Amino acid sequence: MKDIFKEIENTHAIDPVKLAFLKEMYQGTRGLQNDKDKMMAFMMNVAMKSREQNIKFSKEEMNIIIKLLKQNATPSENAMMDTIIKKGLNS
């Protein structure tokens, strides 16, 4: 399996500050996949932290983030992410 962080670093697709933020987010989600309440609380904390640090991602960067999140997700988790993404695009 590819190391997506190395891939991102090599292409310089995301600012190093944003990449560090993503790595922290990714590490924080490990082990939370089976606990939706803890995952939601963690993601709310991530959103708040990104606002505090004024971290905003472009559409291209968001595509990289989605790829990262889906990399090790189960088919049902991927389906759930797709639903969330569709709802976000339609709101």
Coordinates of all heavy atoms in Angstrom, one line a residue:
M1 N 0.9 -1.2 0.0 CA 0.0 0.0 0.0 C 0.9 1.2 0.0 O 1.9 1.3 0.7 CB -0.9 0.0 1.2 CG -1.9 1.1 1.3 SD -3.0 1.1 2.7 CE -3.8 -0.5 2.4
K2 N 0.5 2.2 -0.8 CA 1.3 3.4 -0.9 C 1.2 4.2 0.4 O 0.2 4.2 1.0 CB 0.8 4.3 -2.1 CG 1.1 3.8 -3.4 CD 0.6 4.9 -4.4 CE 0.9 4.4 -5.8 NZ 0.4 5.4 -6.8
D3 N 2.3 4.9 0.7 CA 2.2 5.9 1.8 C 1.8 7.2 1.1 O 2.6 7.9 0.5 CB 3.6 6.0 2.4 CG 3.6 7.0 3.5 OD1 2.7 7.8 3.7 OD2 4.7 7.1 4.2
I4 N 0.5 7.6 1.4 CA 0.0 8.8 0.7 C 0.7 10.1 1.2 O 0.8 11.0 0.4 CB -1.5 8.9 0.9 CG1 -2.1 9.9 -0.1 CG2 -1.9 9.1 2.3 CD1 -3.6 9.8 -0.4
F5 N 1.2 10.1 2.4 CA 1.8 11.3 2.9 C 3.1 11.5 2.1 O 3.5 12.6 1.8 CB 2.1 11.2 4.4 CG 0.8 11.3 5.2 CD1 0.4 10.2 6.0 CD2 0.1 12.4 5.2 CE1 -0.7 10.3 6.8 CE2 -1.1 12.6 6.0 CZ -1.5 11.5 6.7
K6 N 3.9 10.4 1.9 CA 5.1 10.5 1.1 C 4.8 11.0 -0.3 O 5.5 11.8 -0.9 CB 5.9 9.2 1.0 CG 6.6 8.9 2.3 CD 7.8 9.8 2.4 CE 8.6 9.4 3.6 NZ 9.4 10.5 4.0
E7 N 3.7 10.5 -0.9 CA 3.2 10.9 -2.2 C 2.9 12.4 -2.3 O 3.3 13.1 -3.2 CB 2.0 10.1 -2.6 CG 1.5 10.3 -4.0 CD 0.3 9.4 -4.3 OE1 0.2 8.3 -3.8 OE2 -0.6 9.9 -5.0
I8 N 2.2 12.9 -1.2 CA 1.9 14.3 -1.2 C 3.2 15.1 -1.0 O 3.3 16.1 -1.7 CB 0.9 14.6 0.0 CG1 -0.4 13.9 -0.3 CG2 0.7 16.1 0.2 CD1 -1.4 13.9 0.9
E9 N 4.1 14.7 -0.1 CA 5.3 15.4 0.1 C 6.1 15.5 -1.2 O 6.7 16.6 -1.5 CB 6.1 14.8 1.2 CG 5.6 15.0 2.6 CD 6.3 14.2 3.6 OE1 7.3 13.5 3.3 OE2 5.9 14.2 4.8
N10 N 6.2 14.4 -1.9 CA 7.0 14.4 -3.2 C 6.4 15.3 -4.3 O 7.1 15.8 -5.1 CB 7.1 13.0 -3.7 CG 8.0 12.1 -2.8 OD1 8.8 12.6 -2.0 ND2 7.8 10.8 -2.9
T11 N 5.1 15.5 -4.3 CA 4.5 16.3 -5.3 C 4.3 17.7 -4.9 O 4.0 18.6 -5.7 CB 3.1 15.8 -5.7 OG1 2.2 15.8 -4.6 CG2 3.2 14.4 -6.3
H12 N 4.6 18.0 -3.6 CA 4.4 19.3 -3.0 C 3.0 19.8 -3.3 O 2.7 21.0 -3.5 CB 5.4 20.3 -3.6 CG 6.8 19.9 -3.4 ND1 7.4 19.8 -2.2 CD2 7.7 19.3 -4.3 CE1 8.7 19.4 -2.3 NE2 8.8 19.0 -3.6
A13 N 2.0 18.9 -3.2 CA 0.6 19.2 -3.5 C -0.1 20.0 -2.4 O -1.1 20.7 -2.6 CB -0.2 18.0 -3.8
I14 N 0.4 19.9 -1.2 CA -0.2 20.6 0.0 C 0.9 21.2 0.8 O 2.0 20.7 1.0 CB -1.0 19.6 0.9 CG1 -2.2 19.0 0.1 CG2 -1.5 20.2 2.1 CD1 -3.0 18.0 0.8
D15 N 0.6 22.4 1.2 CA 1.5 23.2 2.1 C 1.9 22.3 3.3 O 1.1 21.6 3.8 CB 0.7 24.4 2.6 CG 1.6 25.3 3.5 OD1 2.3 26.1 3.0 OD2 1.4 25.1 4.7
P16 N 3.2 22.4 3.7 CA 3.7 21.6 4.8 C 2.9 21.8 6.1 O 2.7 20.8 6.9 CB 5.1 22.1 5.0 CG 5.5 22.6 3.7 CD 4.3 23.2 3.1
V17 N 2.4 23.0 6.4 CA 1.6 23.2 7.6 C 0.3 22.4 7.5 O -0.2 21.8 8.5 CB 1.3 24.7 7.8 CG1 0.3 24.9 8.9 CG2 2.6 25.5 8.1
K18 N -0.4 22.5 6.3 CA -1.6 21.7 6.1 C -1.3 20.2 6.2 O -2.1 19.4 6.7 CB -2.2 22.1 4.8 CG -2.7 23.5 4.7 CD -3.3 23.8 3.3 CE -3.8 25.2 3.2 NZ -4.3 25.4 1.9
L19 N -0.2 19.8 5.6 CA 0.2 18.4 5.6 C 0.4 17.9 7.1 O -0.1 16.8 7.4 CB 1.4 18.1 4.8 CG 1.9 16.7 4.7 CD1 0.8 15.8 4.0 CD2 3.2 16.6 3.9
A20 N 1.0 18.7 7.9 CA 1.2 18.3 9.3 C -0.2 18.2 10.0 O -0.4 17.3 10.8 CB 2.0 19.3 10.0
F21 N -1.1 19.1 9.7 CA -2.5 19.0 10.2 C -3.1 17.7 9.8 O -3.8 17.1 10.6 CB -3.2 20.3 9.7 CG -4.6 20.3 10.3 CD1 -4.9 20.8 11.5 CD2 -5.7 19.9 9.5 CE1 -6.2 20.9 12.0 CE2 -7.0 20.0 9.9 CZ -7.2 20.5 11.2
L22 N -3.0 17.4 8.5 CA -3.6 16.1 8.0 C -3.0 14.9 8.7 O -3.8 14.0 9.0 CB -3.4 16.0 6.5 CG -4.2 16.9 5.6 CD1 -3.8 16.8 4.2 CD2 -5.7 16.7 5.8
K23 N -1.7 14.9 8.9 CA -1.1 13.8 9.6 C -1.6 13.6 11.0 O -1.9 12.5 11.4 CB 0.4 13.9 9.6 CG 1.1 13.7 8.3 CD 2.6 13.9 8.4 CE 3.3 13.7 7.1 NZ 4.8 13.8 7.2
E24 N -1.8 14.7 11.7 CA -2.3 14.7 13.0 C -3.8 14.2 13.0 O -4.2 13.4 13.8 CB -2.3 16.1 13.6 CG -2.8 16.2 15.0 CD -2.7 17.6 15.6 OE1 -1.9 18.4 15.2 OE2 -3.5 17.9 16.5
M25 N -4.6 14.6 12.0 CA -5.9 14.2 11.9 C -6.0 12.7 11.6 O -6.7 12.0 12.3 CB -6.6 14.9 10.8 CG -8.1 14.5 10.6 SD -8.9 15.3 9.2 CE -8.2 14.3 7.9
Y26 N -5.2 12.2 10.7 CA -5.2 10.8 10.4 C -4.8 10.0 11.6 O -5.4 8.9 11.8 CB -4.2 10.6 9.2 CG -4.1 9.2 8.7 CD1 -5.2 8.6 8.0 CD2 -3.0 8.4 9.0 CE1 -5.1 7.3 7.6 CE2 -3.0 7.1 8.5 CZ -4.0 6.6 7.8 OH -4.0 5.3 7.4
Q27 N -3.7 10.4 12.3 CA -3.3 9.6 13.5 C -4.5 9.6 14.5 O -4.7 8.6 15.2 CB -2.1 10.2 14.1 CG -0.8 10.0 13.2 CD -0.5 8.5 13.0 OE1 -0.6 7.7 13.9 NE2 -0.1 8.2 11.8
G28 N -5.2 10.7 14.6 CA -6.2 10.8 15.6 C -7.4 9.9 15.3 O -8.2 9.5 16.2
T29 N -7.6 9.6 14.1 CA -8.8 8.8 13.7 C -8.5 7.3 13.8 O -9.5 6.5 13.8 CB -9.2 9.0 12.2 OG1 -8.2 8.7 11.3 CG2 -9.7 10.5 12.0
R30 N -7.3 6.9 14.0 CA -7.0 5.5 14.1 C -7.7 4.9 15.4 O -7.6 5.5 16.5 CB -5.5 5.3 14.2 CG -4.8 5.8 12.9 CD -3.4 5.6 13.0 NE -3.1 4.4 12.2 CZ -1.9 3.9 11.9 NH1 -0.9 4.5 12.5 NH2 -1.8 2.8 11.2
G31 N -8.4 3.8 15.2 CA -9.1 3.2 16.3 C -10.4 3.7 16.6 O -11.1 3.2 17.4
L32 N -10.9 4.8 15.9 CA -12.2 5.3 16.1 C -13.2 4.9 15.1 O -14.4 5.2 15.2 CB -12.1 6.9 16.1 CG -11.2 7.6 17.1 CD1 -11.3 9.1 16.9 CD2 -11.7 7.2 18.5
Q33 N -12.8 4.1 14.1 CA -13.7 3.7 13.0 C -15.0 3.0 13.5 O -16.0 3.1 12.9 CB -13.0 2.8 12.0 CG -12.0 3.5 11.2 CD -10.6 3.6 11.9 OE1 -10.5 3.2 13.0 NE2 -9.7 4.2 11.2
N34 N -14.9 2.3 14.6 CA -16.0 1.5 15.1 C -16.9 2.3 16.1 O -17.8 1.7 16.7 CB -15.6 0.2 15.7 CG -15.0 -0.7 14.6 OD1 -15.4 -0.7 13.5 ND2 -14.0 -1.5 15.0
D35 N -16.5 3.5 16.5 CA -17.2 4.3 17.4 C -17.6 5.6 16.8 O -16.9 6.6 16.8 CB -16.4 4.5 18.7 CG -17.1 5.1 19.8 OD1 -18.1 5.9 19.6 OD2 -16.8 4.8 21.0
K36 N -18.8 5.6 16.3 CA -19.3 6.8 15.5 C -19.3 8.1 16.4 O -19.0 9.2 16.0 CB -20.6 6.6 14.9 CG -20.6 5.6 13.8 CD -21.9 5.3 13.2 CE -21.8 4.2 12.1 NZ -23.1 3.8 11.6
D37 N -19.7 7.9 17.7 CA -19.8 9.1 18.6 C -18.4 9.7 18.8 O -18.2 10.9 18.8 CB -20.4 8.7 19.9 CG -21.9 8.3 19.8 OD1 -22.5 8.9 18.8 OD2 -22.4 7.6 20.6
K38 N -17.4 8.8 19.1 CA -16.1 9.3 19.3 C -15.5 9.9 18.0 O -14.8 10.9 18.0 CB -15.1 8.2 19.8 CG -15.4 7.9 21.2 CD -14.4 6.8 21.7 CE -14.7 6.5 23.2 NZ -13.8 5.4 23.7
M39 N -15.8 9.3 16.9 CA -15.3 9.8 15.6 C -15.9 11.2 15.3 O -15.2 12.1 14.9 CB -15.7 8.9 14.4 CG -15.3 9.4 13.1 SD -13.5 9.5 12.8 CE -13.1 7.9 12.3
M40 N -17.2 11.3 15.6 CA -17.9 12.6 15.4 C -17.3 13.7 16.3 O -17.0 14.8 15.8 CB -19.4 12.5 15.6 CG -20.1 13.8 15.3 SD -19.9 14.3 13.6 CE -21.4 13.9 12.9
A41 N -17.1 13.4 17.5 CA -16.5 14.3 18.5 C -15.1 14.7 18.0 O -14.7 15.9 18.1 CB -16.4 13.7 19.9
F42 N -14.3 13.7 17.6 CA -13.0 14.0 17.1 C -13.0 14.9 15.9 O -12.3 15.9 15.8 CB -12.2 12.7 16.7 CG -10.9 13.0 16.1 CD1 -9.8 13.3 16.9 CD2 -10.7 12.9 14.8 CE1 -8.5 13.6 16.4 CE2 -9.4 13.1 14.2 CZ -8.4 13.5 15.0
M43 N -13.9 14.7 14.9 CA -14.0 15.5 13.7 C -14.5 16.9 14.0 O -14.0 17.8 13.4 CB -14.9 14.8 12.7 CG -14.3 13.5 12.2 SD -12.6 13.5 11.6 CE -12.8 14.5 10.1
M44 N -15.4 17.0 15.0 CA -15.8 18.4 15.4 C -14.6 19.1 16.0 O -14.4 20.3 15.7 CB -16.9 18.3 16.4 CG -18.2 17.7 15.9 SD -18.9 18.7 14.5 CE -19.4 20.1 15.4
N45 N -13.8 18.5 16.7 CA -12.6 19.1 17.3 C -11.6 19.5 16.2 O -11.0 20.6 16.2 CB -11.9 18.1 18.3 CG -10.8 18.8 19.0 OD1 -10.8 19.9 19.4 ND2 -9.7 18.0 19.2
V46 N -11.5 18.6 15.2 CA -10.6 18.9 14.0 C -11.1 20.2 13.3 O -10.3 21.1 12.9 CB -10.5 17.7 13.1 CG1 -9.9 18.1 11.7 CG2 -9.7 16.6 13.7
A47 N -12.4 20.2 13.1 CA -13.0 21.4 12.4 C -12.7 22.7 13.2 O -12.4 23.7 12.6 CB -14.5 21.2 12.2
M48 N -12.9 22.6 14.5 CA -12.7 23.8 15.3 C -11.2 24.2 15.3 O -10.9 25.4 15.2 CB -13.1 23.5 16.8 CG -13.4 24.7 17.6 SD -14.3 24.3 19.1 CE -13.4 23.0 19.9
K49 N -10.4 23.2 15.4 CA -8.9 23.5 15.3 C -8.5 24.1 14.0 O -7.7 25.1 14.0 CB -8.1 22.2 15.6 CG -6.7 22.4 15.8 CD -6.0 21.1 16.2 CE -4.5 21.3 16.4 NZ -3.8 20.1 16.8
S50 N -9.1 23.6 12.9 CA -8.7 24.2 11.6 C -9.2 25.6 11.5 O -8.5 26.5 10.9 CB -9.3 23.3 10.5 OG -10.7 23.5 10.4
R51 N -10.3 26.0 12.1 CA -10.8 27.4 12.0 C -9.9 28.2 12.9 O -9.5 29.3 12.5 CB -12.2 27.4 12.5 CG -13.3 27.1 11.5 CD -14.7 27.4 12.0 NE -15.1 26.6 13.1 CZ -15.7 25.5 13.1 NH1 -16.1 25.0 11.9 NH2 -16.1 24.9 14.2
E52 N -9.5 27.7 14.1 CA -8.6 28.5 15.0 C -7.3 28.8 14.3 O -6.7 29.8 14.5 CB -8.4 27.7 16.3 CG -9.6 27.7 17.2 CD -9.4 26.7 18.4 OE1 -8.4 26.1 18.5 OE2 -10.4 26.6 19.2
Q53 N -6.8 27.8 13.5 CA -5.5 28.0 12.9 C -5.6 28.6 11.5 O -4.6 28.7 10.8 CB -4.8 26.6 12.8 CG -4.4 26.1 14.2 CD -3.7 24.7 14.1 OE1 -3.3 24.3 13.1 NE2 -3.5 24.1 15.3
N54 N -6.8 28.9 11.1 CA -7.1 29.5 9.8 C -6.6 28.5 8.6 O -6.0 29.0 7.7 CB -6.6 30.9 9.6 CG -7.2 31.6 8.5 OD1 -8.4 31.3 8.1 ND2 -6.5 32.5 7.9
I55 N -6.8 27.3 8.8 CA -6.4 26.3 7.8 C -7.6 26.0 6.9 O -8.6 25.5 7.4 CB -5.9 25.0 8.5 CG1 -4.6 25.3 9.2 CG2 -5.6 23.9 7.4 CD1 -4.1 24.1 10.0
K56 N -7.4 26.3 5.6 CA -8.5 26.1 4.6 C -7.9 25.3 3.5 O -6.8 25.5 3.1 CB -9.0 27.4 4.1 CG -9.7 28.2 5.2 CD -10.2 29.6 4.7 CE -10.8 30.4 5.9 NZ -11.1 31.7 5.5
F57 N -8.7 24.4 3.0 CA -8.2 23.5 1.9 C -8.9 23.8 0.6 O -10.2 24.0 0.6 CB -8.4 22.0 2.3 CG -7.6 21.6 3.5 CD1 -8.1 21.6 4.7 CD2 -6.3 21.2 3.3 CE1 -7.4 21.3 5.8 CE2 -5.6 20.8 4.4 CZ -6.1 20.8 5.7
S58 N -8.2 23.8 -0.5 CA -8.7 24.0 -1.8 C -9.5 22.7 -2.3 O -9.4 21.6 -1.6 CB -7.6 24.3 -2.9 OG -6.8 23.1 -3.0
K59 N -10.2 22.7 -3.4 CA -10.9 21.5 -3.9 C -9.9 20.4 -4.2 O -10.2 19.3 -3.8 CB -11.7 21.9 -5.1 CG -12.5 20.7 -5.6 CD -13.4 21.1 -6.8 CE -14.1 19.9 -7.3 NZ -15.4 20.1 -7.7
E60 N -8.8 20.8 -4.7 CA -7.8 19.8 -5.1 C -7.2 19.1 -3.8 O -7.0 17.9 -3.7 CB -6.6 20.4 -5.9 CG -7.0 20.8 -7.3 CD -7.7 22.2 -7.3 OE1 -7.6 22.9 -6.3 OE2 -8.4 22.4 -8.3
E61 N -7.0 20.0 -2.8 CA -6.5 19.5 -1.5 C -7.6 18.6 -0.8 O -7.2 17.5 -0.3 CB -6.1 20.6 -0.6 CG -4.9 21.4 -1.0 CD -4.6 22.7 -0.3 OE1 -5.6 23.3 0.2 OE2 -3.5 23.1 -0.2
M62 N -8.8 18.9 -1.0 CA -9.9 18.1 -0.4 C -9.9 16.8 -1.1 O -10.2 15.7 -0.4 CB -11.2 18.8 -0.5 CG -11.4 20.0 0.4 SD -11.2 19.5 2.2 CE -12.5 18.4 2.4
N63 N -9.7 16.7 -2.4 CA -9.7 15.4 -3.1 C -8.6 14.5 -2.5 O -8.7 13.3 -2.4 CB -9.5 15.6 -4.6 CG -10.7 16.2 -5.2 OD1 -11.8 16.0 -4.7 ND2 -10.6 16.9 -6.3
I64 N -7.4 15.1 -2.2 CA -6.3 14.4 -1.6 C -6.7 13.9 -0.2 O -6.5 12.7 0.1 CB -5.0 15.2 -1.5 CG1 -4.5 15.5 -3.0 CG2 -4.0 14.6 -0.7 CD1 -3.5 16.6 -3.0
I65 N -7.4 14.7 0.5 CA -7.8 14.3 1.9 C -8.8 13.2 1.8 O -8.7 12.2 2.5 CB -8.5 15.5 2.6 CG1 -7.4 16.6 2.9 CG2 -9.2 15.1 3.9 CD1 -8.0 17.9 3.3
I66 N -9.7 13.2 0.9 CA -10.7 12.2 0.7 C -10.0 10.9 0.3 O -10.3 9.8 0.9 CB -11.8 12.6 -0.3 CG1 -12.7 13.7 0.3 CG2 -12.7 11.4 -0.7 CD1 -13.5 14.4 -0.8
K67 N -9.1 11.0 -0.6 CA -8.3 9.8 -1.0 C -7.6 9.2 0.3 O -7.6 8.0 0.5 CB -7.3 10.2 -2.0 CG -6.4 9.0 -2.5 CD -5.4 9.5 -3.6 CE -4.5 8.4 -4.0 NZ -3.5 8.9 -5.0
L68 N -7.0 10.0 1.1 CA -6.4 9.6 2.3 C -7.3 8.9 3.2 O -7.0 7.8 3.7 CB -5.7 10.8 3.0 CG -5.2 10.6 4.4 CD1 -4.0 9.6 4.4 CD2 -4.8 11.9 5.1
L69 N -8.5 9.5 3.5 CA -9.5 8.9 4.4 C -10.0 7.5 3.8 O -10.2 6.6 4.6 CB -10.6 9.8 4.6 CG -10.3 11.1 5.4 CD1 -11.5 12.0 5.4 CD2 -9.9 10.7 6.8
K70 N -10.1 7.4 2.5 CA -10.7 6.2 1.9 C -9.7 5.1 1.8 O -10.0 4.0 1.6 CB -11.3 6.5 0.6 CG -12.6 7.3 0.7 CD -13.2 7.5 -0.7 CE -14.7 7.7 -0.6 NZ -15.3 7.6 -1.9
Q71 N -8.4 5.4 1.9 CA -7.3 4.5 1.6 C -7.5 3.2 2.4 O -7.3 2.1 1.9 CB -6.0 5.2 1.9 CG -4.8 4.3 1.6 CD -3.5 5.0 1.9 OE1 -3.5 6.2 2.0 NE2 -2.4 4.3 1.9
N72 N -7.8 3.3 3.7 CA -7.9 2.1 4.5 C -9.3 1.9 5.0 O -9.5 1.1 6.0 CB -6.9 2.2 5.7 CG -5.5 2.2 5.2 OD1 -5.1 1.4 4.4 ND2 -4.7 3.0 5.8
A73 N -10.3 2.5 4.5 CA -11.6 2.4 4.9 C -12.3 1.1 4.4 O -11.9 0.6 3.3 CB -12.5 3.6 4.5
T74 N -13.2 0.6 5.1 CA -14.0 -0.5 4.6 C -15.0 -0.1 3.6 O -15.3 1.1 3.5 CB -14.8 -1.2 5.8 OG1 -15.8 -0.2 6.2 CG2 -13.9 -1.6 6.9
P75 N -15.6 -1.0 2.8 CA -16.6 -0.6 1.8 C -17.8 0.2 2.4 O -18.2 1.2 1.9 CB -17.1 -1.9 1.2 CG -15.8 -2.8 1.3 CD -15.2 -2.4 2.7
S76 N -18.2 -0.2 3.6 CA -19.3 0.5 4.3 C -18.9 1.9 4.7 O -19.7 2.9 4.6 CB -19.9 -0.3 5.4 OG -19.0 -0.4 6.4
E77 N -17.7 2.0 5.2 CA -17.1 3.4 5.6 C -17.0 4.3 4.3 O -17.4 5.4 4.4 CB -15.8 3.2 6.3 CG -15.9 2.6 7.6 CD -14.5 2.2 8.2 OE1 -13.6 2.0 7.4 OE2 -14.4 2.1 9.4
N78 N -16.6 3.7 3.2 CA -16.5 4.5 2.0 C -17.8 4.9 1.5 O -18.0 6.1 1.1 CB -15.8 3.7 0.9 CG -14.3 3.7 1.0 OD1 -13.7 4.7 1.3 ND2 -13.6 2.6 0.8
A79 N -18.8 4.1 1.6 CA -20.2 4.4 1.3 C -20.7 5.6 2.2 O -21.3 6.5 1.7 CB -21.1 3.2 1.4
M80 N -20.4 5.5 3.5 CA -20.8 6.5 4.4 C -20.2 7.8 4.0 O -20.8 8.9 4.0 CB -20.5 6.1 5.8 CG -21.0 7.1 6.9 SD -20.8 6.5 8.6 CE -19.1 6.4 8.7
M81 N -18.9 7.8 3.7 CA -18.2 9.0 3.3 C -18.7 9.6 2.0 O -18.9 10.8 1.9 CB -16.7 8.8 3.1 CG -15.9 8.6 4.4 SD -14.1 8.5 4.2 CE -13.9 6.7 4.2
D82 N -19.1 8.7 1.1 CA -19.7 9.2 -0.2 C -21.0 9.9 0.1 O -21.3 11.0 -0.5 CB -19.9 8.1 -1.1 CG -18.6 7.5 -1.7 OD1 -17.6 8.3 -1.7 OD2 -18.6 6.4 -2.2
T83 N -21.8 9.4 1.0 CA -23.1 10.0 1.4 C -22.8 11.4 2.0 O -23.5 12.3 1.6 CB -23.9 9.1 2.3 OG1 -24.1 7.8 1.7 CG2 -25.2 9.7 2.7
I84 N -21.9 11.4 2.9 CA -21.6 12.7 3.6 C -21.1 13.7 2.6 O -21.5 14.9 2.6 CB -20.6 12.5 4.7 CG1 -21.2 11.7 5.8 CG2 -20.0 13.8 5.3 CD1 -20.2 11.1 6.9
I85 N -20.2 13.3 1.7 CA -19.7 14.2 0.7 C -20.8 14.8 -0.2 O -20.9 16.0 -0.5 CB -18.6 13.5 -0.2 CG1 -17.4 13.3 0.7 CG2 -18.2 14.4 -1.4 CD1 -16.4 12.3 0.2
K86 N -21.7 13.9 -0.7 CA -22.8 14.3 -1.5 C -23.7 15.3 -0.8 O -24.1 16.3 -1.4 CB -23.6 13.1 -2.0 CG -23.1 12.3 -3.1 CD -24.0 11.2 -3.5 CE -23.3 10.3 -4.5 NZ -24.2 9.2 -4.9
K87 N -24.0 15.0 0.5 CA -24.8 16.0 1.3 C -24.1 17.3 1.4 O -24.7 18.4 1.3 CB -25.1 15.4 2.6 CG -26.1 14.3 2.6 CD -26.4 13.8 4.0 CE -27.4 12.7 4.0 NZ -27.7 12.1 5.3
G88 N -22.8 17.3 1.6 CA -22.0 18.5 1.7 C -22.0 19.3 0.4 O -22.1 20.6 0.4
L89 N -22.0 18.6 -0.7 CA -22.0 19.3 -2.0 C -23.4 19.9 -2.3 O -23.5 20.9 -3.0 CB -21.6 18.4 -3.1 CG -20.1 17.9 -3.1 CD1 -19.9 16.8 -4.2 CD2 -19.2 19.0 -3.3
N90 N -24.4 19.3 -1.8 CA -25.8 19.8 -2.1 C -26.3 20.8 -1.1 O -27.4 21.3 -1.2 CB -26.7 18.6 -2.1 CG -26.4 17.7 -3.3 OD1 -26.0 18.1 -4.4 ND2 -26.6 16.4 -3.1
S91 N -25.5 21.1 -0.1 CA -26.0 22.1 0.9 C -25.5 23.5 0.6 O -24.9 23.8 -0.3 CB -25.6 21.7 2.3 OG -24.2 21.5 2.4

